[in-house]
PDB file of all heavy atoms in Angstrom:
ATOM      1  N   ILE A  49     -18.107   6.840  -8.758  1.00 98.00           N
ATOM      2  CA  ILE A  49     -16.857   6.186  -9.160  1.00 98.00           C
ATOM      3  C   ILE A  49     -16.565   6.494 -10.630  1.00 98.00           C
ATOM      4  O   ILE A  49     -17.395   6.231 -11.507  1.00 98.00           O
ATOM      5  CB  ILE A  49     -16.931   4.654  -8.941  1.00 98.00           C
ATOM      6  CG1 ILE A  49     -17.373   4.311  -7.517  1.00 98.00           C
ATOM      7  CG2 ILE A  49     -15.598   3.997  -9.303  1.00 98.00           C
ATOM      8  CD1 ILE A  49     -16.465   4.792  -6.411  1.00 98.00           C
ATOM      9  N   LEU A  50     -15.380   7.052 -10.874  1.00 98.00           N
ATOM     10  CA  LEU A  50     -14.953   7.416 -12.230  1.00 98.00           C
ATOM     11  C   LEU A  50     -14.124   6.318 -12.891  1.00 98.00           C
ATOM     12  O   LEU A  50     -14.314   6.019 -14.073  1.00 98.00           O
ATOM     13  CB  LEU A  50     -14.124   8.703 -12.189  1.00 98.00           C
ATOM     14  CG  LEU A  50     -14.831   9.951 -11.660  1.00 98.00           C
ATOM     15  CD1 LEU A  50     -13.826  11.064 -11.445  1.00 98.00           C
ATOM     16  CD2 LEU A  50     -15.917  10.372 -12.642  1.00 98.00           C
ATOM     17  N   SER A  51     -13.187   5.755 -12.140  1.00 98.00           N
ATOM     18  CA  SER A  51     -12.299   4.737 -12.714  1.00 98.00           C
ATOM     19  C   SER A  51     -11.735   3.871 -11.598  1.00 98.00           C
ATOM     20  O   SER A  51     -11.690   4.280 -10.438  1.00 98.00           O
ATOM     21  CB  SER A  51     -11.159   5.399 -13.497  1.00 98.00           C
ATOM     22  OG  SER A  51     -10.361   6.200 -12.630  1.00 98.00           O
ATOM     23  N   GLY A  52     -11.300   2.679 -11.978  1.00 98.00           N
ATOM     24  CA  GLY A  52     -10.710   1.760 -11.014  1.00 98.00           C
ATOM     25  C   GLY A  52     -11.733   0.784 -10.453  1.00 98.00           C
ATOM     26  O   GLY A  52     -12.915   0.809 -10.810  1.00 98.00           O
ATOM     27  N   GLN A  53     -11.278  -0.064  -9.570  1.00 98.00           N
ATOM     28  CA  GLN A  53     -12.101  -1.108  -8.950  1.00 98.00           C
ATOM     29  C   GLN A  53     -11.839  -1.103  -7.457  1.00 98.00           C
ATOM     30  O   GLN A  53     -10.712  -0.858  -7.024  1.00 98.00           O
ATOM     31  CB  GLN A  53     -11.741  -2.488  -9.512  1.00 98.00           C
ATOM     32  CG  GLN A  53     -11.895  -2.627 -11.003  1.00 98.00           C
ATOM     33  CD  GLN A  53     -13.344  -2.608 -11.442  1.00 98.00           C
ATOM     34  OE1 GLN A  53     -14.207  -3.193 -10.803  1.00 98.00           O
ATOM     35  NE2 GLN A  53     -13.618  -1.928 -12.544  1.00 98.00           N
ATOM     36  N   GLY A  54     -12.871  -1.411  -6.699  1.00 98.00           N
ATOM     37  CA  GLY A  54     -12.676  -1.465  -5.258  1.00 98.00           C
ATOM     38  C   GLY A  54     -13.854  -2.047  -4.529  1.00 98.00           C
ATOM     39  O   GLY A  54     -14.746  -2.654  -5.119  1.00 98.00           O
ATOM     40  N   VAL A  55     -13.846  -1.835  -3.220  1.00 98.00           N
ATOM     41  CA  VAL A  55     -14.917  -2.279  -2.339  1.00 98.00           C
ATOM     42  C   VAL A  55     -15.343  -1.086  -1.494  1.00 98.00           C
ATOM     43  O   VAL A  55     -14.509  -0.456  -0.826  1.00 98.00           O
ATOM     44  CB  VAL A  55     -14.460  -3.436  -1.429  1.00 98.00           C
ATOM     45  CG1 VAL A  55     -15.544  -3.799  -0.427  1.00 98.00           C
ATOM     46  CG2 VAL A  55     -14.076  -4.650  -2.266  1.00 98.00           C
ATOM     47  N   TYR A  56     -16.636  -0.784  -1.549  1.00 98.00           N
ATOM     48  CA  TYR A  56     -17.216   0.302  -0.778  1.00 98.00           C
ATOM     49  C   TYR A  56     -17.819  -0.287   0.486  1.00 98.00           C
ATOM     50  O   TYR A  56     -18.589  -1.249   0.426  1.00 98.00           O
ATOM     51  CB  TYR A  56     -18.297   1.011  -1.601  1.00 98.00           C
ATOM     52  CG  TYR A  56     -19.014   2.120  -0.881  1.00 98.00           C
ATOM     53  CD1 TYR A  56     -18.440   3.381  -0.774  1.00 98.00           C
ATOM     54  CD2 TYR A  56     -20.273   1.921  -0.324  1.00 98.00           C
ATOM     55  CE1 TYR A  56     -19.104   4.418  -0.121  1.00 98.00           C
ATOM     56  CE2 TYR A  56     -20.942   2.949   0.330  1.00 98.00           C
ATOM     57  CZ  TYR A  56     -20.349   4.192   0.426  1.00 98.00           C
ATOM     58  OH  TYR A  56     -21.015   5.204   1.065  1.00 98.00           O
ATOM     59  N   ASN A  57     -17.465   0.278   1.639  1.00 98.00           N
ATOM     60  CA  ASN A  57     -18.025  -0.165   2.909  1.00 98.00           C
ATOM     61  C   ASN A  57     -19.178   0.767   3.250  1.00 98.00           C
ATOM     62  O   ASN A  57     -18.991   1.955   3.486  1.00 98.00           O
ATOM     63  CB  ASN A  57     -16.956  -0.119   4.002  1.00 98.00           C
ATOM     64  CG  ASN A  57     -17.490  -0.573   5.346  1.00 98.00           C
ATOM     65  OD1 ASN A  57     -18.515  -0.103   5.818  1.00 98.00           O
ATOM     66  ND2 ASN A  57     -16.769  -1.486   5.964  1.00 98.00           N
ATOM     67  N   ASP A  58     -20.388   0.215   3.274  1.00 97.00           N
ATOM     68  CA  ASP A  58     -21.612   0.970   3.546  1.00 97.00           C
ATOM     69  C   ASP A  58     -22.157   0.524   4.899  1.00 97.00           C
ATOM     70  O   ASP A  58     -22.831  -0.494   4.995  1.00 97.00           O
ATOM     71  CB  ASP A  58     -22.631   0.712   2.434  1.00 97.00           C
ATOM     72  CG  ASP A  58     -23.912   1.494   2.584  1.00 97.00           C
ATOM     73  OD1 ASP A  58     -24.001   2.362   3.482  1.00 97.00           O
ATOM     74  OD2 ASP A  58     -24.841   1.249   1.795  1.00 97.00           O
ATOM     75  N   ASN A  59     -21.801   1.269   5.958  1.00 96.00           N
ATOM     76  CA  ASN A  59     -22.250   0.926   7.309  1.00 96.00           C
ATOM     77  C   ASN A  59     -21.929  -0.526   7.664  1.00 96.00           C
ATOM     78  O   ASN A  59     -22.759  -1.240   8.223  1.00 96.00           O
ATOM     79  CB  ASN A  59     -23.745   1.208   7.471  1.00 96.00           C
ATOM     80  CG  ASN A  59     -24.051   2.684   7.427  1.00 96.00           C
ATOM     81  OD1 ASN A  59     -23.620   3.439   8.290  1.00 96.00           O
ATOM     82  ND2 ASN A  59     -24.763   3.104   6.398  1.00 96.00           N
ATOM     83  N   GLY A  60     -20.724  -0.964   7.300  1.00 96.00           N
ATOM     84  CA  GLY A  60     -20.281  -2.312   7.627  1.00 96.00           C
ATOM     85  C   GLY A  60     -20.565  -3.368   6.580  1.00 96.00           C
ATOM     86  O   GLY A  60     -20.097  -4.494   6.684  1.00 96.00           O
ATOM     87  N   GLU A  61     -21.320  -3.015   5.543  1.00 97.00           N
ATOM     88  CA  GLU A  61     -21.627  -3.958   4.461  1.00 97.00           C
ATOM     89  C   GLU A  61     -20.756  -3.626   3.251  1.00 97.00           C
ATOM     90  O   GLU A  61     -20.770  -2.499   2.764  1.00 97.00           O
ATOM     91  CB  GLU A  61     -23.099  -3.854   4.075  1.00 97.00           C
ATOM     92  CG  GLU A  61     -23.499  -4.812   2.974  1.00 97.00           C
ATOM     93  CD  GLU A  61     -24.971  -4.671   2.587  1.00 97.00           C
ATOM     94  OE1 GLU A  61     -25.780  -4.283   3.438  1.00 97.00           O
ATOM     95  OE2 GLU A  61     -25.272  -4.948   1.416  1.00 97.00           O
ATOM     96  N   ASP A  62     -20.000  -4.594   2.760  1.00 98.00           N
ATOM     97  CA  ASP A  62     -19.127  -4.396   1.605  1.00 98.00           C
ATOM     98  C   ASP A  62     -19.898  -4.559   0.304  1.00 98.00           C
ATOM     99  O   ASP A  62     -20.689  -5.498   0.161  1.00 98.00           O
ATOM    100  CB  ASP A  62     -17.961  -5.381   1.636  1.00 98.00           C
ATOM    101  CG  ASP A  62     -16.936  -5.042   2.699  1.00 98.00           C
ATOM    102  OD1 ASP A  62     -16.912  -3.879   3.157  1.00 98.00           O
ATOM    103  OD2 ASP A  62     -16.166  -5.937   3.078  1.00 98.00           O
ATOM    104  N   ARG A  63     -19.629  -3.632  -0.623  1.00 98.00           N
ATOM    105  CA  ARG A  63     -20.239  -3.676  -1.958  1.00 98.00           C
ATOM    106  C   ARG A  63     -19.144  -3.428  -2.996  1.00 98.00           C
ATOM    107  O   ARG A  63     -18.288  -2.578  -2.795  1.00 98.00           O
ATOM    108  CB  ARG A  63     -21.290  -2.579  -2.098  1.00 98.00           C
ATOM    109  CG  ARG A  63     -22.419  -2.703  -1.124  1.00 98.00           C
ATOM    110  CD  ARG A  63     -23.374  -1.578  -1.317  1.00 98.00           C
ATOM    111  NE  ARG A  63     -24.482  -1.695  -0.375  1.00 98.00           N
ATOM    112  CZ  ARG A  63     -25.540  -0.955  -0.410  1.00 98.00           C
ATOM    113  NH1 ARG A  63     -25.661  -0.010  -1.321  1.00 98.00           N
ATOM    114  NH2 ARG A  63     -26.494  -1.107   0.474  1.00 98.00           N
ATOM    115  N   PRO A  64     -19.175  -4.142  -4.123  1.00 98.00           N
ATOM    116  CA  PRO A  64     -18.192  -3.876  -5.170  1.00 98.00           C
ATOM    117  C   PRO A  64     -18.370  -2.459  -5.718  1.00 98.00           C
ATOM    118  O   PRO A  64     -19.489  -1.953  -5.805  1.00 98.00           O
ATOM    119  CB  PRO A  64     -18.491  -4.921  -6.241  1.00 98.00           C
ATOM    120  CG  PRO A  64     -19.765  -5.579  -5.859  1.00 98.00           C
ATOM    121  CD  PRO A  64     -20.117  -5.192  -4.479  1.00 98.00           C
ATOM    122  N   ALA A  65     -17.254  -1.824  -6.064  1.00 98.00           N
ATOM    123  CA  ALA A  65     -17.275  -0.468  -6.619  1.00 98.00           C
ATOM    124  C   ALA A  65     -16.559  -0.463  -7.962  1.00 98.00           C
ATOM    125  O   ALA A  65     -15.429  -0.940  -8.068  1.00 98.00           O
ATOM    126  CB  ALA A  65     -16.596   0.508  -5.663  1.00 98.00           C
ATOM    127  N   ALA A  66     -17.236   0.072  -8.980  1.00 98.00           N
ATOM    128  CA  ALA A  66     -16.691   0.112 -10.337  1.00 98.00           C
ATOM    129  C   ALA A  66     -17.164   1.400 -11.008  1.00 98.00           C
ATOM    130  O   ALA A  66     -18.107   2.045 -10.536  1.00 98.00           O
ATOM    131  CB  ALA A  66     -17.159  -1.108 -11.125  1.00 98.00           C
ATOM    132  N   PRO A  67     -16.537   1.787 -12.121  1.00 98.00           N
ATOM    133  CA  PRO A  67     -16.938   3.013 -12.810  1.00 98.00           C
ATOM    134  C   PRO A  67     -18.446   3.070 -13.072  1.00 98.00           C
ATOM    135  O   PRO A  67     -19.053   2.088 -13.494  1.00 98.00           O
ATOM    136  CB  PRO A  67     -16.145   2.960 -14.111  1.00 98.00           C
ATOM    137  CG  PRO A  67     -14.915   2.191 -13.754  1.00 98.00           C
ATOM    138  CD  PRO A  67     -15.409   1.136 -12.799  1.00 98.00           C
ATOM    139  N   GLY A  68     -19.024   4.233 -12.765  1.00 98.00           N
ATOM    140  CA  GLY A  68     -20.447   4.453 -12.953  1.00 98.00           C
ATOM    141  C   GLY A  68     -21.282   4.200 -11.710  1.00 98.00           C
ATOM    142  O   GLY A  68     -22.443   4.600 -11.654  1.00 98.00           O
ATOM    143  N   ASP A  69     -20.704   3.553 -10.702  1.00 98.00           N
ATOM    144  CA  ASP A  69     -21.448   3.295  -9.467  1.00 98.00           C
ATOM    145  C   ASP A  69     -21.579   4.582  -8.654  1.00 98.00           C
ATOM    146  O   ASP A  69     -20.674   5.422  -8.624  1.00 98.00           O
ATOM    147  CB  ASP A  69     -20.742   2.242  -8.601  1.00 98.00           C
ATOM    148  CG  ASP A  69     -20.824   0.845  -9.180  1.00 98.00           C
ATOM    149  OD1 ASP A  69     -21.664   0.610 -10.070  1.00 98.00           O
ATOM    150  OD2 ASP A  69     -20.042  -0.012  -8.739  1.00 98.00           O
ATOM    151  N   VAL A  70     -22.724   4.712  -7.976  1.00 98.00           N
ATOM    152  CA  VAL A  70     -22.990   5.842  -7.088  1.00 98.00           C
ATOM    153  C   VAL A  70     -23.301   5.288  -5.702  1.00 98.00           C
ATOM    154  O   VAL A  70     -24.096   4.360  -5.564  1.00 98.00           O
ATOM    155  CB  VAL A  70     -24.187   6.689  -7.591  1.00 98.00           C
ATOM    156  CG1 VAL A  70     -24.517   7.801  -6.612  1.00 98.00           C
ATOM    157  CG2 VAL A  70     -23.910   7.246  -8.970  1.00 98.00           C
ATOM    158  N   PHE A  71     -22.668   5.870  -4.692  1.00 98.00           N
ATOM    159  CA  PHE A  71     -22.885   5.462  -3.307  1.00 98.00           C
ATOM    160  C   PHE A  71     -23.260   6.686  -2.493  1.00 98.00           C
ATOM    161  O   PHE A  71     -22.667   7.751  -2.659  1.00 98.00           O
ATOM    162  CB  PHE A  71     -21.626   4.813  -2.729  1.00 98.00           C
ATOM    163  CG  PHE A  71     -21.194   3.587  -3.470  1.00 98.00           C
ATOM    164  CD1 PHE A  71     -20.145   3.648  -4.381  1.00 98.00           C
ATOM    165  CD2 PHE A  71     -21.830   2.382  -3.281  1.00 98.00           C
ATOM    166  CE1 PHE A  71     -19.738   2.521  -5.068  1.00 98.00           C
ATOM    167  CE2 PHE A  71     -21.439   1.250  -3.971  1.00 98.00           C
ATOM    168  CZ  PHE A  71     -20.393   1.314  -4.872  1.00 98.00           C
TER     169      PHE A  71
END
Side-chain angles (χ1 to χ4, degrees):
I49 308 299
L50 299 170
S51 62
Q53 302 290 319
V55 175
Y56 177 81
N57 180 309
D58 183 7
N59 292 296
E61 181 181 331
D62 287 340
R63 299 179 180 188
D69 289 344
V70 176
F71 300 101

